[in-house]
Amino acid sequence: MENPRLFLVAGILLAGFGVVAAVLQGDDDGKQFVYSGFTGSNVSLSLDGTAVVTPSGLLELTNGTAQLSSHAVHRTPLSLRSSSPGGGVRSFSASFVFGIIPPYPDQSGHGIVFFVGKADFSTALPSTYLGLLNRANNGNATNHIFGVELDTIQSIEFKDPNDNHVGIDVNSLESVAVHPAGYYDDETGGAFRDLLLISGKAMQVWVDYESVSTEIRVFLSPLKNGAKPSTPLVSARRNLSEVLVDPAYAGFSSSTGTLRSRHYLLGWSLAIDGPAPLIDIGSLPKLPQFGFGAKQALSNVLLEIVLPIVTAVLVLSVVAVVILVVRRRSKYAEVREEWESEFGPHRFSYRDLFLATEGFKSKTLLGFGGFGRVHKGLLPKSKLEVAVKKVSHGSRQGIKEFVAEVVTIGRLRHRNLVQLLGYCRRKGELLLVYDYMPNGSLDKYLYGGKDDTLDFLDWAQRFRIIKGVASGLLYIHEDFDQVIIHRDIKASNVLLDADMNGRLGDFGLAKLYDHGADPQTTHVVGTMGYLAPELARTGKASPLTDVFAFGAFILEVTCGRRPVELSMDDGRLVLVDWVLEHWHTESLLEVVDARLGADYDYDAEEVVLALKLGLMCSHPLPGARPSMRQAMQYLEGDMPLPELTPTQMMQSEGLDSFIQLSEPSSGTISGLSGGR
Ligand SMILES: *[C@@H]1O[C@H](CO)[C@@H](O)[C@H](O)[C@H]1NC(C)=O
Ligand SMILES: *[C@@H]1O[C@H](CO)[C@@H](O)[C@H](O)[C@H]1NC(C)=O
Ligand SMILES: *[C@@H]1O[C@H](CO)[C@@H](O)[C@H](O)[C@H]1NC(C)=O
Ligand SMILES: *[C@@H]1O[C@H](CO)[C@@H](O)[C@H](O)[C@H]1NC(C)=O
């Protein structure tokens, strides 16, 4: 061996040139050294066979070629013998970090041996013999070699316990002591943990020889922070003074058999008469990840990166699905209570209504009814066209009563009533399902000035609608098994079916609002101009308050004007008063809707009948109004309209004064929806 100091200087020079220089530290007098990575180590290491130092600083003992062996030997012989004459072998301690990249996950061969002794491997064999010995000299005391084998093949002839063991070898590959690979984990109170030598992961080994006790102890551990387990994996007593002769070298031998494994060293240190110097774990090169190692790395990646991501994605999708289901459930959530079971057949599922109206999209919106939006829908199963009215209600108070009423209303069958098919209840929301009326509401025809596409209604049509509404009202007041008050008769609540028949809609909704969620806002509901004076005063609806509104309705249809209109001159036109005035002046036909024809292209007798009946019905005194049955008889001509004198027809001062009194300065009338 050449002068080691020269190489050290060369190493320092190399380092000075910015090259990662030899990592060899310490006095290289054969007493102590450390390799933390092997870059530049060809200075102090002698390599043979397939052994090379890779650019990253790994000492690659075998390179994936079969049936080869290699050696890496520290060039300087160890100063093992004590200087006293006939001195025995001194204590020494070595440590190294290795890694085995197997060609298959569960198979590799053959292994690595750390040795101290005679370094003549000219006749050594690969494979089972680990590049250390051969068939003939195995077990021969002349070998003068001590080794620690990391054996990954079970060789029966050497009594190997398995294919993953650590053994102490003295001149022979039949170990003097052997143990399956593993370690006693100090972190868990010394519990034994298996280690797989061919895991592709770096592991650390310590080999201690204590000269006084002649005890050899071998420790194995996964590569952590360099901490040595306190309990050896395998130990033996052998007086190495009787085994080793000078010059004794330290090094590694490795071999492959038929399996193309790769054996690597990452770092190594040794000291005579002292603990092995610490290897700088942080600066060790990384094990390569190819061959199976790449697969292993891939599976590591799978385990450590992809798996968490996949898990996270799975968890997220489960959460998303749950949210979707919950949202879907809440989207279609209904309120359904015990007492409703008796109304079963009238109950619609919210889901059906949601689907029917395409999720209550604005394109299905028919309009804003008296109490909520009305959507057109097509029921999914029956393909029946319906109108769905969404009525919000604040509290559940009175809702039971109201639903009962809805069901009652649902029992109403009359060709002049919009058929209520059923209902659905959600939190704070009531959905009423009606027959769909293709021609919309009457008010659009009366005041549809802006919309020229709507047909103009001639007198005959109007009269038929008036009679129809009267017939519908008569039915609910008198011909049904209980008296039902409509409460909100007006042109916008009269709908036209396909044959332009007038049909009353929106029954009893006013009552829902009378039940009122909020007692503070309990108010008379109805529409200004249709509101009977006594209803405004007492809030008590009766068939006669319906008759009053019906009167206003007749005048509205005949005159084509709203019951209360704002006009330029006096600010307000109360239709009843205006008609009454013309009756006084016997110019009744002047109030008729001008669009009905200047040439009086209508049945004047019918028109006058309608106007007079309208005035009668809108009489401020309830007692002076006819019942709906009488009104019907007058309309049908079954009974002549009683000849009333204009003085009998009192001024509708009640209404007038009511309006004056209740009108706030701003001009809006609380509790009343504007006549339309
Ligand atoms: C060590 O390796 C370097 C470059 O790889 C080479 O130039 C040098 O000659 C080698 N030294 C020995 C002693 O093999
Ligand atoms: C392995 O080393 C042997 C001997 O040095 C060489 O012949 C072979 O090409 C090497 N194989 C690889 C894959 O590097
Ligand atoms: C084995 O040892 C004996 C002496 O014990 C020696 O004669 C023989 O040559 C050795 N064999 C080998 C192969 O080294
Ligand atoms: C080990 O062997 C040497 C040489 O035979 C001897 O001098 C020494 O006392 C032995 N040590 C022990 C602990 O037996």
Side-chain angles (χ1 to χ4, degrees), residues 68-82:
L68 287 175
S69 61
S70 68
H71 304 92
V73 183
H74 190 67
R75 291 181 195 271
T76 313
L78 301 179
S79 309
L80 270 181
R81 296 273 164 186
S82 53

Side-chain angles (χ1 to χ4, degrees), residues 232-505:
L233 171 65
V234 56
S235 59
R237 266 174 207 275
R238 261 308 159 98
N239 190 344
L240 291 185
S241 302
E242 295 165 358
V243 176
L244 304 176
V245 293
D246 281 333
Y249 295 92
F252 296 87
S253 175
S254 179
S255 74
T256 57
T258 48
L259 295 171
R260 300 155 178 273
S261 309
R262 292 169 189 267
H263 297 95
Y264 290 98
L265 287 175
L266 291 75
W268 178 28
S269 72
L270 185 142
I272 308 288
D273 281 336
L278 291 179
I279 298 167
D280 182 1
I281 303 295
S283 64
L284 293 183
K286 295 280 174 286
L287 277 173
Q289 304 196 322
F290 50 74
F292 165 68
K295 285 183 206 149
Q296 179 100 29
L298 191 65
S299 78
N300 283 351
V301 165
L302 284 176
L303 278 173
E304 287 161 20
I305 298 168
V306 178
L307 192 68
I309 290 175
V310 167
T311 310
V313 166
L314 270 178
V315 167
L316 280 179
S317 22
V318 166
V319 167
V321 165
V322 167
I323 287 173
L324 274 179
V325 166
V326 167
R327 274 188 57 178
R328 192 183 165 84
R329 286 190 60 164
S330 71
K331 186 170 155 188
Y332 297 138
E334 302 174 14
V335 178
R336 204 184 275 260
E337 288 172 86
E338 191 107 327
W339 51 264
E340 287 178 73
S341 55
E342 57 181 294
F343 308 134
H346 296 281
R347 180 83 199 214
F348 279 84
S349 84
Y350 184 73
R351 191 172 177 273
D352 280 356
L353 299 184
F354 189 88
L355 295 179
T357 57
E358 295 172 41
F360 297 97
K361 281 216 184 79
S362 51
K363 72 168 192 184
T364 65
L365 188 67
L366 289 172
F368 298 86
F371 299 95
R373 290 156 174 258
V374 187
H375 289 265
K376 184 184 174 179
L378 185 68
L379 288 179
K381 284 169 208 132
S382 56
K383 300 290 170 212
L384 189 70
E385 278 190 319
V386 292
V388 183
K389 178 167 239 174
K390 269 183 147 181
V391 182
S392 62
H393 66 86
S395 78
R396 37 170 292 117
Q397 223 191 356
I399 190 70
K400 180 173 179 176
E401 198 184 340
F402 181 73
V403 168
E405 202 155 308
V406 163
V407 172
T408 305
I409 290 164
R411 281 168 45 222
L412 296 171
R413 292 276 185 282
H414 192 276
R415 64 189 194 90
N416 293 108
L417 302 180
V418 177
Q419 181 68 43
L420 178 70
L421 301 173
Y423 75 102
C424 174
R425 225 148 63 76
R426 300 239 297 165
K427 203 164 168 252
E429 206 173 41
L430 185 68
L431 294 107
L432 299 171
V433 185
Y434 294 97
D435 263 343
Y436 174 65
M437 293 290 117
N439 285 318
S441 61
L442 175 62
D443 60 333
K444 280 189 255 158
Y445 294 85
L446 294 180
Y447 315 116
K450 293 159 240 153
D451 191 352
D452 294 333
T453 59
L454 288 177
D455 289 337
F456 174 73
L457 293 177
D458 64 22
W459 173 249
Q461 282 172 312
R462 292 188 195 203
F463 196 57
R464 200 155 67 93
I465 290 164
I466 290 171
K467 284 199 284 191
V469 170
S471 162
L473 266 178
L474 172 59
Y475 171 74
I476 63 169
H477 284 175
E478 299 182 31
D479 292 345
F480 189 57
D481 56 12
Q482 70 190 77
V483 176
I484 291 178
I485 301 165
H486 186 284
R487 291 164 182 265
D488 201 10
I489 298 159
K490 57 183 174 184
S492 60
N493 273 347
V494 171
L495 298 157
L496 301 176
D497 66 15
D499 304 324
M500 297 302 277
N501 280 314
R503 287 174 179 248
L504 262 174

Side-chain angles (χ1 to χ4, degrees), residues 529-534 544-556 563 574-577 579-580 610-626 644 649-656:
Y530 296 95
L531 209 56
E534 79 274 16
L544 287 175
T545 58
D546 269 0
V547 171
F548 182 94
F550 176 65
F553 169 75
I554 297 178
L555 298 182
E556 186 180 7
V574 177
L575 187 57
V576 187
D577 296 347
V579 176
L580 209 51
L611 288 172
K612 285 183 176 173
L613 182 61
L615 287 175
M616 240 176 110
C617 290
S618 287
H619 198 285
L621 293 177
R625 296 171 206 154
L644 299 172
M649 290 302 297
M650 281 181 50
Q651 298 297 320
S652 55
E653 269 167 37
L655 172 67
D656 225 9

Side-chain angles (χ1 to χ4, degrees), residues 98 185 193 306 414 569:
F98 74 96
D185 187 0
R193 294 184 181 279
V306 178
H414 192 276
D569 39 343

Side-chain angles (χ1 to χ4, degrees), residues 559-574:
C559 306
R561 287 173 185 268
R562 297 176 196 277
V564 179
E565 271 184 1
L566 295 179
S567 66
M568 288 306 208
D569 39 343
D570 62 351
R572 187 192 315 282
L573 176 79
V574 177

Side-chain angles (χ1 to χ4, degrees), residues 123 134-143:
T123 60
N134 61 42
R135 199 183 308 267
N137 70 4
N138 184 50
N140 212 326
T142 56
N143 294 330

